[in-house]
């Protein structure tokens, strides 16, 4: 059993040399390698690797946060959930996320900029459609005989509805941007700081 423990410890040490893992993940991997090991034995091995500097939850949390921001475009809330799932203590996770707030703002700004272009292009197409319909309705309205009040009122309601849709477009773009940012895990406070207008 002693040889198996040493072999598992060395394998785990090699893994930790290649990439960051949390102490909870290390413990889980160790228990898979040594199914007969007790929790105390696993904790001792993980503790020795922590003491040797191979495992550091704060370092893992920092690397995880930066990677998820840069490559996955996750927001702070989603990152905190990921760190919690990896077994990192809440305070360590929060410190790692707070340390990368500037990067989070930059990532959010880039995401919103790209999404805004997409939404505005879509909105412009709709506005063009609305304008065409509006012109047709206005022509129809001007051709109506003076006595036909019902038809005139119906057309005026349609014209008003189209005009409202055109005005609401900009507001809908802002709402869609905020909703998109929230799905990526960015809190309202950061979204507001990014200045969606």
């Amino acid at each position: 059993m002693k040889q198996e423990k040493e072999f598992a410890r060395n394998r785990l040490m090699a893994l930790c040399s290649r990439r960051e893992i949390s102490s909870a993940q290390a413990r889980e991997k160790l228990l898979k390698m040594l199914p007969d090991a007790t929790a105390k034995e696993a904790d001792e091995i993980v503790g020795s690797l922590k003491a040797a500097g191979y495992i550091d939850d704060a370092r893992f949390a920092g690397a995880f946060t930066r990677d998820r921001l840069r490559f996955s475009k996750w927001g702070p809330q989603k990152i905190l959930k990921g760190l919690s799932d990896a077994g990192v203590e809440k305070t360590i996770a929060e410190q790692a996320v707070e340390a990368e707030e500037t990067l989070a703002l930059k990532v959010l700004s880039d995401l919103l900029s790209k999404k805004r272009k997409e939404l505005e292009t879509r909105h412009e197409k709709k506005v063009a459609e609305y304008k065409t319909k509006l012109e047709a309705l206005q022509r129809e309205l001007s051709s109506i005989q003076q006595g036909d009040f019902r038809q005139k009122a119906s057309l005026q309601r349609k014209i008003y509805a189209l005009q409202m849709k055109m005005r609401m477009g900009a507001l809908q773009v802002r709402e869609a941007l905020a909703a998109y940012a929230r799905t990526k895990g960015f809190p309202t406070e950061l979204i507001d700081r990014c200045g969606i207008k």
Side-chain angles (χ1 to χ4, degrees):
M1 181 69 173
K2 188 174 181 180
Q3 282 183 321
E4 290 172 346
K5 282 185 197 176
E6 195 57 36
F7 178 73
R9 183 184 186 282
N10 289 337
R11 279 187 59 197
L12 191 57
M13 191 185 318
L15 174 68
C16 293
S17 297
R18 289 191 303 272
R19 67 182 183 96
E20 296 291 344
I21 62 173
S22 69
S23 53
Q25 290 171 329
R27 188 175 186 275
E28 187 178 310
K29 289 181 184 303
L30 192 60
L31 288 172
K32 283 182 183 175
M33 288 187 254
L34 297 170
D36 296 336
T38 65
K40 184 180 177 188
E41 291 170 329
D43 288 340
E44 284 174 5
I45 294 172
V46 169
S48 71
L49 291 175
K50 283 173 93 171
Y54 285 96
I55 299 171
D56 183 338
D57 282 349
R59 197 173 61 214
F60 167 79
F64 184 92
T65 300
R66 285 186 297 279
D67 286 352
R68 293 309 180 270
L69 278 168
R70 286 186 184 133
F71 304 117
S72 303
K73 310 299 184 202
W74 285 10
Q77 293 171 330
K78 200 169 181 179
I79 291 170
L80 286 171
K81 170 80 170 83
L83 287 169
S84 173
D85 291 347
V88 176
E89 290 178 29
K90 186 177 180 179
T91 54
I92 293 173
E94 287 172 348
Q95 287 170 353
V97 169
E98 285 172 18
E100 297 300 333
E101 188 175 293
T102 304
L103 178 59
L105 276 169
K106 184 186 178 327
V107 167
L108 177 59
S109 180
D110 292 346
L111 278 174
L112 292 179
S113 177
K114 289 176 187 173
K115 192 67 172 175
R116 181 186 297 277
K117 287 176 187 172
E118 177 189 321
L119 291 171
E120 285 176 348
T121 301
R122 197 178 311 156
H123 175 64
E124 286 169 11
K125 288 179 184 176
K126 284 194 176 222
V127 167
E129 288 174 27
Y130 293 153
K131 282 183 179 178
T132 305
K133 288 179 184 178
L134 194 59
E135 289 168 2
L137 287 171
Q138 287 171 333
R139 280 193 304 272
E140 192 178 336
L141 182 63
S142 64
S143 69
I144 292 177
Q145 299 297 322
Q146 287 221 343
D148 198 351
F149 295 112
R150 278 190 176 163
Q151 190 177 5
K152 202 173 200 178
S154 172
L155 285 172
Q156 286 172 334
R157 281 192 301 274
K158 288 178 183 177
I159 288 170
Y160 178 75
L162 276 174
Q163 290 171 334
M164 287 306 294
K165 283 183 180 180
M166 289 169 72
R167 286 186 199 120
M168 293 296 289
L171 179 61
Q172 289 171 339
V173 167
R174 284 195 300 272
E175 289 174 357
L177 285 172
Y180 173 71
R182 282 191 295 274
T183 64
K184 289 295 219 170
F186 289 91
T188 304
E189 179 248 325
L190 276 183
I191 295 168
D192 291 343
R193 283 177 56 193
C194 230
I196 296 175
K197 294 174 184 165

